Amino acid sequence: MTGASDSEARRFAVAFRSFLEWVHSEQAGARERNEVAGLVRDFLGEGALDRSVVTRSLPVFEHVNLQTALDAWSQEPGREVAVHGISIPPHHATVNLQQLVTGEGMPPLRLSAPALVDLPNGPGSTLACLHLAVLLVTDANGHYVVMVSGPGEHDQTLDVEIAGLSVEAAQGLHARLGDLRSELNVYRGHVIEVSAAPMGGVSLEFGDIPLTAREDVVLPEAVLARVERHALGVAAHREALLQAGQHLKRGLLLYGPPGTGKTHTTRYLIGQMTRYTRFILTGRALQVIGSAAALARDLQPAVIVLEDVDLVAEDRSFGRGSSPVLFDLLDAMDGAAADADLLFVLTTNRADLLEPALAARPGRVDVAIEIDLPDAEARQRLLALYGRSVPLRLTEDDTREVVERTEGVTASFLKELLRRAMLESLHENAAEPAVTATHTSRALDDLLDSGQQLTRSLLGVGNDPETLPAGGGLGSLPPQRGRGWVTYAQPRSGSQRFVR
Ligand SMILES: Nc1ncnc2c1ncn2[C@@H]1O[C@H](COP(=O)(O)OP(=O)(O)OP(=O)(O)O)[C@@H](O)[C@H]1O
Ligand SMILES: [Mg+2]
């Protein structure tokens, strides 16, 4: 092998230099040709690079509120806003406003109509929200650009970026948009179902307003009145309480066996509290209680229903050694100012699991109310309630017998009983069904059959062997304590155990 001659090396150097010049000129050309970067830089004019781009990241559920705020803000007098979409070629990463201002490292972007995402802004309506767009703004502050980048497939962020303003003015604009988001918040006053989104996010959905009427909630009058006094009474006397220096924030715990109407009662309350923003958290959603409570504080007066809190009693957010989610939940309940009009309603059928946590973090729950198995009078009312939609042909004696035989069952058991009795009567005469004592009695035999314990569990209609009917014409149920599916373990004691 011999080395290259001098002339060969010179020729290579010349060729390489012209190659580099070509690369540079191509890049410069691409920059010039980049419509979006060109538009932004032309609009901002000289000195655009001397000003910082100021970004604020928002939770994804704020997307619809951001659009609502931008719409209102754009229409303020003395402001002109031109909205442009950005089309990014396939397989290119998204861009930010800093890149558009400098024009560096740009994929070949094109101007287009803005990409929109249609998001719910009410129980039956949607709002088309900017997904990726630049807003060229002219107002008293001069010329500046606002860019909106919605969440992508891989990043769950919503960014608002501002270029062309001083840092202070940009912060002021972010704050103004924040105020508008809060003022015009589309979630205010609605029923909102909260769930945990990927990567620690929170997702909100508009829920239906429950139509549960007072007479549909079969509880002893004293119990229901107490629930109402605590939840609705404070709401009714809000101003007077505040003037008297009394706090409005309150926590109500409904506890008792499964199927007795804890969820049913919360549905009734939610239906009544029409002036309130009503959040419902169940299961995994309880983990995002922190964000939900913060949101509720912004949107007060608000109710936060935390269903089946025992599910997170032993669940640790960051593995062993960290505090249980239940503690986070109780801390979130305490974070709000005392004069915030917030009602927390917790439900559980494992009060025993909850009690130590509540004792360790006192002051969160002011009233605990036991929702117990229905007594004879309640069972009769339940039969009447769920018999309303059934062609029920029971004499007084028949009804009395059903009431007697169902001692110890849950309310949901009685509901299921009527459904089954209806099926029995349909089997007999599909054309003209009529539910008689024969049908209720057959359905009862079936449901209370000792071999049907698992079925009862699956139906959530009560299974506590201590309370399920034994005798009274049923045949006796063998005691089944310790069977895996007997989940209810609430200590049976006075009905006001937790009242502080
Ligand atoms: N007290 C009640 N009055 C009228 N209907 C009731 C009552 N309790 C239960 N029901 C009926 O049974 C269904 C199931 O009850 P619900 O979901 O409220 O039970 P729960 O106490 O919340 O049970 P869990 O502890 O399993 O969550 C209700 O949707 C309702 O139709
Ligand atoms: Mg429930």
Side-chain angles (χ1 to χ4, degrees):
M1 284 262 283
T2 54
S5 68
D6 276 0
S7 68
E8 276 173 332
R10 239 188 323 275
R11 272 208 308 281
F12 174 75
V14 170
F16 189 64
R17 203 162 73 207
S18 73
F19 168 72
L20 287 180
E21 280 166 6
W22 174 78
V23 168
H24 274 138
S25 69
E26 270 299 294
Q27 274 187 348
R31 215 179 294 156
E32 281 316 309
R33 281 201 308 274
N34 194 308
E35 292 177 353
V36 186
L39 180 78
V40 167
R41 277 183 306 150
D42 289 350
F43 185 73
L44 292 177
E46 287 302 308
L49 284 174
D50 303 336
R51 292 194 149 168
S52 297
V53 173
V54 183
T55 304
R56 197 178 268 199
S57 295
L58 305 175
V60 172
F61 62 75
E62 278 296 296
H63 202 159
V64 63
N65 288 324
L66 172 67
Q67 187 61 49
T68 310
L70 282 172
D71 287 346
W73 175 80
S74 299
Q75 278 158 29
E76 285 174 355
R79 179 165 299 124
E80 237 175 76
V81 180
V83 182
H84 295 272
I86 304 171
S87 166
I88 303 179
H91 313 301
H92 280 83
T94 190
V95 285
N96 58 35
L97 189 51
Q98 180 75 28
Q99 286 170 293
L100 290 180
V101 170
T102 59
E104 295 298 338
M106 284 280 96
L109 305 173
R110 295 225 161 267
L111 287 168
S112 66
L116 301 171
V117 49
D118 201 27
L119 297 173
N121 69 341
S125 57
T126 56
L127 179 70
C129 303
L130 293 173
H131 188 247
L132 183 65
V134 286
L135 283 65
L136 308 184
V137 187
T138 310
D139 64 12
N141 280 327
H143 292 304
Y144 56 96
V145 177
V146 177
M147 180 166 167
V148 176
S149 318
E153 218 178 303
H154 304 295
D155 62 318
Q156 286 298 305
T157 56
L158 169 65
D159 288 331
V160 183
E161 299 168 277
I162 300 169
L165 290 181
S166 68
V167 173
E168 257 172 31
Q171 285 173 316
L173 175 53
H174 278 306
R176 169 88 185 111
L177 289 174
D179 289 346
L180 280 170
R181 276 191 286 119
S182 168
E183 197 182 303
L184 304 172
N185 200 304
V186 301
Y187 300 116
R188 181 171 287 112
H190 289 290
V191 175
I192 309 293
E193 280 162 19
V194 181
S195 53
M199 291 181 263
V202 177
S203 112
L204 307 178
E205 262 175 60
F206 290 94
D208 294 331
I209 297 179
L211 298 173
T212 313
R214 191 176 201 273
E215 56 270 23
D216 296 344
V217 184
V218 178
L219 291 178
E221 178 54 33
V223 172
L224 187 54
R226 214 158 161 246
V227 170
E228 288 176 327
R229 203 164 46 243
H230 199 60
L232 312 176
V234 174
H237 301 295
R238 195 171 180 273
E239 304 309 326
L241 282 166
L242 276 178
Q243 266 174 21
Q246 300 301 313
H247 69 89
L248 298 178
K249 193 175 62 133
R250 54 217 186 274
L252 170 65
L253 173 68
L254 303 180
Y255 70 101
T260 48
K262 298 178 296 296
T263 299
H264 194 59
T265 307
T266 63
R267 309 276 303 153
Y268 161 63
L269 289 179
I270 283 176
Q272 294 298 304
M273 301 184 83
T274 44
R275 277 187 49 248
Y276 281 62
T277 311
R278 294 147 283 179
F279 296 93
I280 303 173
L281 283 76
T282 319
R284 242 168 48 82
L286 293 171
Q287 297 182 354
V288 296
I289 174 68
S291 314
L295 199 60
R297 254 167 259 151
D298 278 354
L299 298 180
Q300 59 168 299
V303 193
I304 306 175
V305 175
L306 304 164
E307 280 269 32
D308 304 317
V309 276
D310 48 277
L311 291 177
V312 291
E314 285 162 342
D315 186 358
R316 287 171 195 274
S317 37
F318 300 104
R320 283 163 68 88
S322 68
S323 69
V325 173
L326 179 59
F327 277 28
D328 300 344
L329 191 143
L330 295 175
D331 287 345
M333 285 175 70
D334 209 36
D339 62 353
D341 190 350
L342 288 184
L343 166 67
F344 289 89
V345 183
L346 286 69
T347 73
T348 183
N349 53 45
R350 294 296 308 270
D352 56 324
L353 275 184
L354 236 58
E355 201 177 0
L358 288 175
R361 298 254 198 298
R364 272 70 165 180
V365 169
D366 329 281
V367 177
I369 299 177
E370 182 171 22
I371 308 291
D372 209 351
L373 296 167
D375 60 13
E377 193 221 319
R379 293 200 298 283
Q380 187 162 350
R381 281 172 59 201
L382 284 160
L383 278 177
L385 174 67
Y386 292 112
R388 278 190 315 207
S389 49
V390 171
L392 200 58
R393 306 280 179 271
L394 295 183
T395 63
E396 262 180 39
D397 282 351
D398 297 338
T399 309
R400 197 172 316 117
E401 197 194 328
V402 177
V403 168
E404 272 169 23
R405 284 191 64 187
T406 49
E407 167 143 26
V409 305
T410 60
S412 56
F413 182 105
L414 285 158
K415 192 178 171 188
E416 175 63 13
L417 171 70
L418 283 168
R419 194 186 69 87
R420 294 216 177 185
M422 178 71 193
L423 274 177
E424 292 284 343
S425 88
L426 279 169
H427 280 312
E428 230 169 68
N429 183 353
E432 260 180 75
V435 177
T436 64
T438 323
H439 306 121
T440 48
S441 156
R442 237 185 273 153
L444 256 176
D445 289 346
D446 188 39
L447 270 170
L448 293 171
D449 185 285
S450 58
Q452 296 290 325
Q453 198 174 32
L454 180 57
T455 309
R456 284 196 298 275
S457 278
L458 296 177
L459 290 170
V461 293
N463 233 349
D464 190 344
E466 232 172 48
T467 52
L468 264 184
L474 279 174
S476 57
L477 275 172
Q480 298 282 349
R481 274 235 170 275
R483 299 288 290 270
W485 56 80
V486 179
T487 51
Y488 173 57
Q490 190 225 338
R492 258 176 212 286
S493 56
S495 61
Q496 310 295 334
R497 286 187 82 220
F498 292 91
V499 177
R500 287 167 213 285

